[in-house]
């Protein structure tokens, strides 16, 4: 960010009055351009004892498997975004349940949130951003070919919680921070 | 957003290839400038059976009471942001617990998240953005002078859940969407 999106003047990096952090400030029009983390919202689509995964047709991690997820858009809620991404990437209509995991990825300036979701029918198809979409039993999960550490961690938590009978009751959101060293 | 933050050219609003939504696109340098909702992170600071609130020294809602909360910053996690805001606005060091509520505010392009938090000592002080900070028993909460519907809803859920004994065990994140008509 070099130029003011409002007036095209060159931006200054400085700490504004009444602030404690450096911001992109426009000395010409007085605007301050804050930058904040973005939310990636997705689902864990469950059909019976299987989970739906997508193989990515786009970078980063082309060819690797992921839960359906993507950037939250203006004007939608986190759960609507999760349902929308599941429909767009996996062609699956899901009933969205409770928020299951929230993973902070500070080095990527992102927060990843995954909702439990159920599929009434085993109907799905690869969207434009997917090479293929498939249902997996736990023992079939391609652990070595997953796209992102937040997907791997969410699936690990999910299968452990399912085995422990946690998912049918109340539970705290599973949450932790992901480190740069966890990149896969 | 009128000008490209990268090259200062006038931006075009169009649907990029491989996308389905209008974006701010720079025809000069080829960059696409996405806009996404921002997270507001805060806490419910609990000392014994009291909750800590701040009276706002800034707009919007100057003079009204709120839970300590603010925009999540780059490089931090949601829970760290909640602890930071609690320290900055209320001068209170808290131990952050589980995520308690997640409220989508689509018309404001925000997601509000509040963490349960405990105070070891009744020590607090008004930060620059607060006129005063005080501990409240449930019957003392200034319900008619709260700053935001997400704060009101979170406190209503909190006291109901506390009375029902829910908070000491596992629970799903309390979550709903806030409508424009709920503005207070």
């Amino acid at each position: 960010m070099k130029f003011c999106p409002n007036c095209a003047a060159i931006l200054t990096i400085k700490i504004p009055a009444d602030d404690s952090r450096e911001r992109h400030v426009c000395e010409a029009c007085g605007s301050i351009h804050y930058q904040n983390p973005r939310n990636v919202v997705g689902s864990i689509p469950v059909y019976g004892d299987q989970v739906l995964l997508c193989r990515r047709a786009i970078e980063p991690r082309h060819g690797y498997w992921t839960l359906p997820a993507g950037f939250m858009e203006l004007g939608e809620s986190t759960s609507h975004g999760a349902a929308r991404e599941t429909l767009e990437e996996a062609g699956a209509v899901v009933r969205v349940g409770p928020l299951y995991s929230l993973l902070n990825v500070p080095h990527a300036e992102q927060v990843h949130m995954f909702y439990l979701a159920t599929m009434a029918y085993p109907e799905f198809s690869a969207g434009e951003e997917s090479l293929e979409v498939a249902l997996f039993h736990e023992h079939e999960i391609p652990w070595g070919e997953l796209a992102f550490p937040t997907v791997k961690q969410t699936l690990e938590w999910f299968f452990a919680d399912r085995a422990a009978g946690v998912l049918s009751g109340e539970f705290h959101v599973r949450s932790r921070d992901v480190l740069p060293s966890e990149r896969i």
Side-chain angles (χ1 to χ4, degrees), chain A residues 9 58 65 95-96 105 134 169:
Chain A
I58 53 171
W65 291 90
R95 186 172 155 204
V96 176
V105 195

Side-chain angles (χ1 to χ4, degrees), chain A residues 138-146 151-157 159 184:
Chain A
E138 182 177 357
H139 69 272
E140 298 167 332
I141 297 285
W143 293 106
E145 296 165 55
L146 294 178
V151 169
K152 181 164 178 275
Q153 175 64 84
T154 294
L155 288 171
E156 288 171 351
W157 278 331
F159 288 115
I184 53 179

Side-chain angles (χ1 to χ4, degrees), chain A:
Chain A
M1 181 171 247
K2 296 177 198 162
F3 301 97
C4 177
N6 292 346
C7 76
I10 293 177
L11 292 170
T12 305
I13 295 179
K14 60 182 270 192
I15 301 175
D18 306 324
D19 203 338
S20 57
R21 288 169 185 251
E22 288 190 335
R23 310 286 180 185
H24 290 85
V25 176
C26 180
E27 311 273 13
C29 75
S31 58
I32 304 173
H33 302 284
Y34 297 94
Q35 295 184 301
N36 302 88
R38 294 198 290 171
N39 292 331
V40 171
V41 291
S43 78
I44 310 165
V46 175
Y47 179 69
D49 64 347
Q50 295 174 288
V51 171
L52 194 68
L53 299 180
C54 310
R55 200 154 74 85
R56 289 172 63 82
I58 53 171
E59 294 294 346
R61 304 294 283 162
H62 183 283
Y64 288 81
W65 291 90
T66 185
L67 290 163
F71 287 110
M72 184 183 180
E73 299 280 2
L74 295 184
E76 71 182 1
S77 68
T78 46
S79 56
H80 292 165
R84 176 185 54 74
E85 289 288 347
T86 306
L87 184 60
E88 286 179 7
E89 297 187 353
V93 174
V94 289
R95 186 172 155 204
V96 176
L99 181 62
Y100 178 70
S101 66
L102 186 156
L103 294 125
N104 288 285
V105 195
H107 60 273
E109 303 174 346
Q110 293 175 2
V111 180
H112 292 203
M113 294 180 232
F114 292 95
Y115 281 83
L116 289 184
T118 51
M119 300 166 65
Y121 306 97
E123 292 178 3
F124 50 85
S125 59
E128 288 197 356
E129 298 184 3
S130 304
L131 295 171
E132 57 178 315
V133 179
L135 286 167
F136 292 85
H137 292 99
E138 182 177 357
H139 69 272
E140 298 167 332
I141 297 285
W143 293 106
E145 296 165 55
L146 294 178
F148 304 109
T150 56
V151 169
K152 181 164 178 275
Q153 175 64 84
T154 294
L155 288 171
E156 288 171 351
W157 278 331
F158 171 81
F159 288 115
D161 279 343
R162 191 178 69 173
V166 166
L167 300 181
S168 54
E170 302 274 328
F171 52 80
H172 289 154
V173 165
R174 277 34 183 158
S175 189
R176 74 173 177 87
D177 296 355
V178 173
L179 303 174
S181 59
E182 295 183 69
R183 277 207 184 99
I184 53 179

